[in-house]
C-alpha cells in the first residue's frame, strides 16, 4: 500500500474461523485496483480465528489484524477498527460472511458522490432479501419495529452490518455497548444525514449466531432508554468559527 488510502474496511470477528478466509479473499477481489485496507478485529475468539487471520497476511498485503486482550463485544471491536483506520471513509461488514463484500463499492459511492449532502455521514445497508431463519427474521422485525416507534430514525434495518460512513462523523458519536445497532439515530442526533442502499445477504455457512431473539430484545430495551436519553441531552452549536 502506498499513498493515501480511499477506504478502510472494518470487520469485527469472534469465533468465525470458517468464514474469515473467504471474506478476506472476497474483499480483496471486490476492491482490487483501489487504495484500501481491511482491518479484522478479533474479539478474543476461542477457536483459531486469530491464527488463521494472521496466516492470511502473508498472501494479502492489505490485511491488518487487531486482537482484543479481553472480550469487549461487537461495537467495541468496530470502534477499535475505526480508531486504527487510515482512510477517511470506513466500510463495515459483519464477520459471519452474510454481508457480501460486493456491496461495498455501492455503499461508498453513495457516500462520496459529488451531489451528496455536505453533512451526509452514513450510508446504511438494508438487506433486501434476508437469508435467515423465520424465527430470527421475526426477532429482527420486532426489534426494528420497537426501535423505529421510539426513535423515529426512518430506517428499517439499522442492525445491518453493511455500512459506509465518514470516520470523522463516527468519532463524534457517543460510544456504548451495542451502539452499532443505533448508528442512524445517533448520526441524526449529531446533525448528520443518513441515506440507505439495498444490499444483498447470504446464508451463514459456518459457525453460529452470537445473538438470540430474547437476548437481543432484552438488550434493545435497555439500549433504547439510553439512546433516548443521549439524544435528549445533545446540544448543537450550529458550527464554529475561528476568530
Amino acid at each position: 500500500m502506498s499513498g493515501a488510502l480511499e477506504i478502510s474496511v472494518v470487520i469485527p470477528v469472534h469465533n468465525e474461523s470458517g468464514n474469515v478466509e473467504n471474506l478476506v479473499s472476497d474483499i480483496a477481489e471486490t476492491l482490487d485496483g483501489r487504495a484500501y485496507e481491511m482491518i479484522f478485529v478479533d474479539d478474543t475468539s476461542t477457536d483459531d480465528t486469530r491464527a488463521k487471520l494472521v496466516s492470511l497476511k502473508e498472501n494479502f498485503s492489505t490485511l491488518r489484524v487487531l486482537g482484543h486482550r479481553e472480550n469487549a463485544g461487537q461495537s467495541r471491536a468496530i470502534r477499535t477498527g475505526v480508531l486504527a483506520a487510515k482512510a477517511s471513509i470506513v466500510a463495515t461488514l459483519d464477520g459471519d460472511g452474510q454481508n457480501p463484500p460486493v456491496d461495498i463499492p455501492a455503499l461508498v459511492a453513495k457516500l462520496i458522490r459529488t451531489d451528496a449532502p455536505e453533512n451526509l455521514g452514513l450510508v446504511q445497508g438494508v438487506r433486501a432479501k434476508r437469508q435467515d431463519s423465520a424465527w430470527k427474521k421475526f426477532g429482527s422485525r420486532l426489534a426494528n419495529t420497537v426501535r423505529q416507534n421510539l426513535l423515529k430514525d426512518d430506517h428499517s434495518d439499522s442492525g445491518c452490518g453493511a455500512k459506509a460512513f465518514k470516520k470523522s462523523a463516527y468519532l463524534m458519536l457517543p460510544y456504548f455497548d451495542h451502539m452499532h445497532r443505533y448508528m442512524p439515530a445517533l448520526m441524526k442526533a449529531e446533525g448528520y444525514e443518513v441515506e440507505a442502499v439495498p444490499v444483498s445477504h447470504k446464508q451463514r455457512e459456518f459457525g453460529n449466531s452470537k445473538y438470540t431473539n430474547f437476548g437481543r430484545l432484552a438488550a434493545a430495551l435497555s439500549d433504547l432508554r439510553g439512546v433516548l436519553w443521549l439524544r435528549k441531552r445533545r446540544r448543537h452549536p450550529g458550527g464554529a468559527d475561528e476568530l
Side-chain angles (χ1 to χ4, degrees), residues 9-24:
V9 184
V10 172
I11 306 96
V13 289
H14 178 74
N15 291 347
E16 296 292 358
S17 175
N19 294 308
V20 292
E21 185 170 1
N22 287 339
L23 194 48
V24 168

Side-chain angles (χ1 to χ4, degrees), residues 41 44 82 136 163 172 177-178 233 236:
V41 183
T44 64
V82 174
K136 187 172 181 180
K163 300 171 169 52
M172 293 296 293
D177 199 16
H178 303 136
R233 300 298 295 171
H236 295 288

Side-chain angles (χ1 to χ4, degrees), residues 107-160:
L107 290 164
V108 173
K110 183 82 166 177
L111 182 66
I112 65 174
R113 70 189 192 276
T114 56
D115 62 342
E118 184 178 355
N119 64 337
L120 179 61
L122 166 69
V123 175
Q124 170 69 55
V126 177
R127 292 164 285 193
K129 295 181 179 180
R130 289 194 61 171
Q131 301 299 310
D132 285 319
S133 67
W135 178 240
K136 187 172 181 180
K137 285 189 282 188
F138 166 77
S140 291
R141 282 196 301 269
L142 177 59
N144 279 323
T145 298
V146 172
R147 190 200 71 255
Q148 287 184 76
N149 286 338
L150 291 175
L151 298 181
K152 312 295 184 186
D153 62 5
D154 299 323
H155 282 271
S156 62
D157 195 14
S158 69
C160 176

Side-chain angles (χ1 to χ4, degrees), residues 16-204:
E16 296 292 358
S17 175
N19 294 308
V20 292
E21 185 170 1
N22 287 339
L23 194 48
V24 168
S25 178
D26 289 347
I27 293 170
E29 181 178 355
T30 297
L31 298 180
D32 183 39
R34 302 184 73 160
Y36 77 97
E37 63 179 352
M38 48 179 146
I39 305 172
F40 279 71
V41 183
D42 177 52
D43 190 31
T44 64
S45 293
T46 56
D47 62 7
D48 66 343
T49 295
R50 186 173 298 197
K52 185 167 289 187
L53 283 168
V54 171
S55 70
L56 288 168
K57 291 176 63 178
E58 183 176 349
N59 295 321
F60 294 90
S61 62
T62 59
L63 172 61
R64 298 171 62 192
V65 182
L66 304 179
H68 281 171
R69 296 170 186 170
E70 297 181 8
N71 182 268
Q74 185 173 348
S75 283
R76 188 73 224 196
I78 292 170
R79 183 170 177 80
T80 296
V82 174
L83 289 172
K86 297 177 181 178
S88 61
I89 301 299
V90 176
T92 64
L93 302 171
D94 284 342
D96 57 13
Q98 291 191 264
N99 301 139
V102 69
D103 290 312
I104 294 174
L107 290 164
V108 173
K110 183 82 166 177
L111 182 66
I112 65 174
R113 70 189 192 276
T114 56
D115 62 342
E118 184 178 355
N119 64 337
L120 179 61
L122 166 69
V123 175
Q124 170 69 55
V126 177
R127 292 164 285 193
K129 295 181 179 180
R130 289 194 61 171
Q131 301 299 310
D132 285 319
S133 67
W135 178 240
K136 187 172 181 180
K137 285 189 282 188
F138 166 77
S140 291
R141 282 196 301 269
L142 177 59
N144 279 323
T145 298
V146 172
R147 190 200 71 255
Q148 287 184 76
N149 286 338
L150 291 175
L151 298 181
K152 312 295 184 186
D153 62 5
D154 299 323
H155 282 271
S156 62
D157 195 14
S158 69
C160 176
K163 300 171 169 52
F165 50 84
K166 296 174 182 174
K167 179 177 177 178
S168 59
Y170 175 90
L171 294 178
M172 293 296 293
L173 306 182
Y175 165 75
F176 55 91
D177 199 16
H178 303 136
M179 69 165 285
H180 66 282
R181 296 185 176 278
Y182 301 92
M183 280 183 61
L186 294 170
M187 283 280 185
K188 288 186 174 185
E190 195 57 42
Y192 292 102
E193 289 197 34
V194 179
E195 296 182 351
V197 166
V199 295
S200 47
H201 193 242
K202 294 169 53 180
Q203 287 187 342
R204 174 185 270 275

